[in-house]
Amino acid sequence: MRRAVSLFLALLMVLSVPAYAVGEDTAAQRREDLDTLYEALKEYHPNLFANAAEEVLLAKKAEIEGRLAAVDDATFALDLQSLVAMIGDSHTSLNISGVLSSGSMFPFSIRWFDGAWVVTGLPETEAAYLGWTIEALNGQTMGQVCDKLGGLLSSDNPIKLRRQVRQCIASAEVLAYTGVVDAGAELHLALTGPDGEEAEVVLSALSASDDAAWPRVVQLRRSATTSPWILGMPTTSSSTLARRTRSCPWRPLLPRWQRTCLPRTMTRSSSTCATTAAAPTGCWFPF
């Protein structure tokens, strides 16, 4: 009987341990980064609460703080970016490319053309589907996918959101964080061809740093003078006049934006607001 009780208690202890945990020092450093980021936004961002009330941001901050010791670095970085995204400003976001580049990627790329998402990159074995319209990812329409990623990406207009989606759609960490795909699961692309035919391509996530594991990926680019699609590297990008927003007034930023205001782990830089929503303007926080 004592042995059974001991085994039961041991099982409870195992189940009570988080699936991922960091040390107290790391959790304390993350808390400091979170506090520093929030205080810097309050001090320097013009009209910070134009699109989300302060109590809403504080609730999100508390949610992030409650799991500082239970997530990995990539998830913590995405937590911070999700907080920044609530500001609703295309020109303010975290630079988390360094974190994501050490994660996993799905070998494909997409672009927005003529009102639809088009597959422009696939493994060579699936090259027959290049140029097809992508209808859904794992049973979710591209509209639903964009809505989910919109909660993570900084944007205040659909042009910037589509640009952001295109840039991070292959990240397994981003898709898992936003609930588009389960962690470690395959990605199913539902495609429609030029004549209405349908197909499904299934991709597995690959380590972004393991070149040997990657297949040869074939790319398409749009041509205005020849056929609609030709093989090569994508060269076009979407840009448009971005509307003025309450949280990003169209004026040169003050000199104080140019100084370093996040000590030790973060620095701040800036540039003057531009007229293209696709351009990375405004302020940003390297993570």
Side-chain angles (χ1 to χ4, degrees):
M1 183 66 179
R2 285 197 300 269
R3 179 179 299 178
V5 172
S6 298
L7 289 174
F8 177 72
L9 292 176
L11 179 60
L12 285 180
M13 292 178 64
V14 170
L15 294 178
S16 65
V17 176
Y20 187 95
V22 299
E24 293 182 3
D25 290 344
T26 299
Q29 291 171 357
R30 289 177 175 179
R31 182 173 292 104
E32 182 180 354
D33 286 343
L34 175 61
D35 291 340
T36 302
L37 171 62
Y38 189 78
E39 292 305 318
L41 287 171
K42 286 185 62 177
E43 182 176 358
Y44 295 107
H45 195 287
N47 205 5
L48 178 63
F49 308 114
N51 299 307
E54 183 172 14
E55 54 265 28
V56 176
L57 294 180
L58 286 175
K60 182 64 176 179
K61 180 176 180 289
E63 176 188 332
I64 296 172
E65 191 170 13
R67 61 176 190 164
L68 289 176
V71 298
D72 57 17
D73 289 339
T75 302
F76 174 59
L78 294 175
D79 275 344
L80 294 183
Q81 172 54 37
S82 67
L83 172 64
V84 174
M86 296 179 71
I87 300 171
D89 181 4
S90 291
H91 309 280
T92 304
S93 63
L94 289 177
N95 182 1
I96 57 176
S97 58
V99 177
L100 297 181
S101 64
S102 62
S104 299
M105 308 284 288
F106 291 101
F108 83 115
S109 60
I110 63 176
R111 294 182 73 86
W112 177 262
F113 285 116
D114 300 330
W117 288 103
V118 174
V119 180
T120 57
L122 280 173
E124 190 173 24
T125 56
E126 308 290 350
Y129 300 111
L130 289 173
W132 286 35
T133 300
I134 179 169
E135 305 291 349
L137 295 180
N138 282 23
Q140 301 168 71
T141 67
M142 287 305 297
Q144 293 171 328
V145 170
C146 290
D147 287 343
K148 287 188 173 183
L149 267 63
L152 173 66
L153 306 173
S154 297
S155 66
D156 51 30
N157 63 82
I159 304 300
K160 180 59 182 291
L161 177 58
R162 287 197 293 265
R163 181 179 186 271
Q164 297 277 73
V165 168
R166 175 177 63 84
Q167 290 178 333
C168 71
I169 193 68
S171 169
E173 282 73 21
V174 167
L175 295 184
Y177 185 87
T178 54
V180 177
V181 63
D182 293 334
E186 295 176 326
L187 184 65
H188 294 251
L189 283 66
L191 307 175
T192 300
D195 297 323
E197 60 270 45
E198 298 179 352
E200 182 180 77
V201 173
V202 181
L203 302 174
S204 297
L206 303 170
S207 173
S209 59
D210 186 4
D211 295 338
W214 275 73
R216 183 174 183 270
V217 177
V218 183
Q219 299 277 355
L220 288 179
R221 67 180 175 88
R222 189 76 179 266
S223 172
T225 57
T226 60
S227 60
W229 299 98
I230 60 176
L231 287 174
M233 294 298 293
T235 57
T236 59
S237 63
S238 299
S239 62
T240 187
L241 292 179
R243 297 181 301 170
R244 175 173 178 163
T245 62
R246 291 179 298 168
S247 58
C248 187
W250 296 102
R251 58 176 174 77
L253 299 175
L254 299 176
R256 65 177 181 174
W257 286 89
Q258 300 174 3
R259 70 186 183 188
T260 299
C261 68
L262 295 179
R264 197 169 53 76
T265 58
M266 295 182 180
T267 57
R268 189 165 191 155
S269 64
S270 67
S271 60
T272 303
C273 290
T275 58
T276 57
T281 61
C283 54
W284 55 279
F285 296 88
F287 177 76

